[in-house]
Structure formats: C-alpha cells, structure tokens
Amino acid sequence: MSESPKDKNDATDNKVRLPKSFIILGGGSILVMAAGVVYTIFFYLSLPNHRDLDKSGQAVRHVPLPVPPTSFFPSGQGPKVDSFASENFRLKVQSLKKTLTGFDVVMVLEARSNGYDGSGLSFAVAGTPRWVDSGRNSGEGAASLSTGTLFKSGVPGEFTIHFSRMPSAPVFDLYLGLVGTRGIKGDRFLTHFRNIPTPRATS
C-alpha cells in the first residue's frame, strides 16, 4: 500500500530542523576550541627542556617567558601585589623611577637561606621581563641581574629592570622569570606582580 502525499508531508514536518546559522556558529566554535588546544600543546612542546640546556651549556636567559593570552589581560582591579616569596628568598618591587629613555623598576631580593651548599644564592633572568596593562599594551625590558651576584641570607640586594616603553594605564602587571644558578641551581620561578602603579601615577 503506497503512502499518500499527506502522510509524506506529516513525516517531513516531524523532523527537527536546525537553522543554518546555528550549524555554522557551532562548527566555528568547535574549530576555534580545537585550534586553541593544538596551539597550547605545540607552544609548550616547543619550550626547551632546562636539563638539555644545562647539559649543552646554553644560557638560560634564552628560555621564553610565556605571557597571558589577550582574554586574561590585567583589569586593574583588585589589591596591589608587589612581592613574591619562596622557601629560599623574597623578591619585592621596591620602587619605580622615570628615566630619559623610559623607566626603571627597582627590585629587592632578600635570601632566606644560603642554598643547598651554604654558599649563597645567585640567579639568571629566564626569558624577557615584561609588563602588561589593562589597555592591552605591553613592553619588554632588560634586567641588570648578573649570575655573578651572590645573595647571602638576611642581606638584601638590589637590581633594576629597565623598560623603554611606558604603560598607558594607571597600573600594570609585571612578569619576571628567574632561574637559580647557585645555591638552588636549576630551580625556576615565574613571578607575577599585580597592579603596580605607573611612574606617572606616583609622580
């Protein structure tokens, strides 16, 4: 017995039809998420292994320091965080100074121990120091910290980070990577200081 035209129309009407725009947006969202996962995997796989660098004698300052994705830029809200503490040392943003070529961030490092061998602590800069503000601006700097500088327990020492570009927002976040070269050799620290007032805001 053959179906009548009416039965065919009823069967077609009972099917759920998704709008084309929904299918396009859904497919695009899946592709974006997949691309983000692939990018993250390849980014971290591309980072050099610090053990291989130590064996080959390469300078650890060439290890890249990741920065936050654009969706996680500082908002400028929340408390100021100007210090970082670990078991062996404390690092603090002491002050900011305007210069003719930008501004300097004066850092104070105080060792809490003399390291595993008791001789003191020394560090190298891992990657490039960076600031990022809520206006999606960023700048790269250079730190005056030398691997030959030895920090003894209870004796604070200073070094500066020079930036040639000034943040445009009233506050910014500072990212600084350190790696121990003596006392705590091979230990790595990615420090993040939040809502640091720009020099113009404090002058």
Side-chain angles (χ1 to χ4, degrees):
M1 182 178 179
S2 61
E3 286 186 87
S4 66
K6 182 179 179 181
D7 294 335
K8 290 182 180 179
N9 291 336
D10 290 342
T12 303
D13 292 339
N14 290 333
K15 292 181 179 179
V16 177
R17 295 183 179 180
L18 296 175
K20 289 184 178 180
S21 59
F22 180 82
I23 296 174
I24 294 173
L25 289 174
S29 299
I30 293 173
L31 288 176
V32 169
M33 287 189 293
V37 171
V38 171
Y39 172 82
T40 303
I41 292 173
F42 278 96
F43 175 79
Y44 282 100
L45 287 178
S46 66
L47 293 177
N49 185 289
H50 70 85
R51 292 184 179 86
D52 295 336
L53 291 174
D54 291 339
K55 289 179 182 177
S56 61
Q58 296 183 37
V60 294
R61 66 184 69 255
H62 295 299
V63 178
L65 176 64
V67 296
T70 56
S71 58
F72 291 98
F73 270 100
S75 63
Q77 300 176 355
K80 175 182 177 182
V81 178
D82 61 357
S83 64
F84 169 85
S86 76
E87 179 184 355
N88 292 287
F89 70 94
R90 181 174 182 265
L91 184 64
K92 180 178 174 61
V93 178
Q94 182 69 14
S95 62
L96 282 77
K97 299 178 180 178
K98 283 186 177 181
T99 67
L100 294 176
T101 57
F103 72 101
D104 288 342
V105 180
V106 180
M107 307 294 298
V108 172
L109 192 150
E110 182 176 353
R112 291 178 162 180
S113 75
N114 285 319
Y116 306 141
D117 57 4
S119 63
L121 309 179
S122 66
F123 300 88
V125 178
T128 303
R130 291 178 172 91
W131 61 257
V132 183
D133 67 17
S134 58
R136 298 194 174 188
N137 302 300
S138 65
E140 297 184 350
S144 64
L145 182 62
S146 169
T147 56
T149 303
L150 198 62
F151 297 92
K152 290 284 190 175
S153 178
V155 182
E158 289 187 359
F159 66 93
T160 62
I161 306 172
H162 178 72
F163 293 98
S164 58
R165 186 183 179 192
M166 194 80 68
S168 59
V171 296
F172 64 91
D173 283 19
L174 175 66
Y175 299 85
L176 173 65
L178 298 177
V179 61
T181 58
R182 188 170 175 180
I184 49 176
K185 184 177 181 180
D187 289 358
R188 292 169 183 264
F189 309 91
L190 295 181
T191 63
H192 178 194
F193 305 95
R194 298 176 178 86
N195 294 328
I196 306 301
T198 63
R200 71 167 64 90
T202 57
S203 58

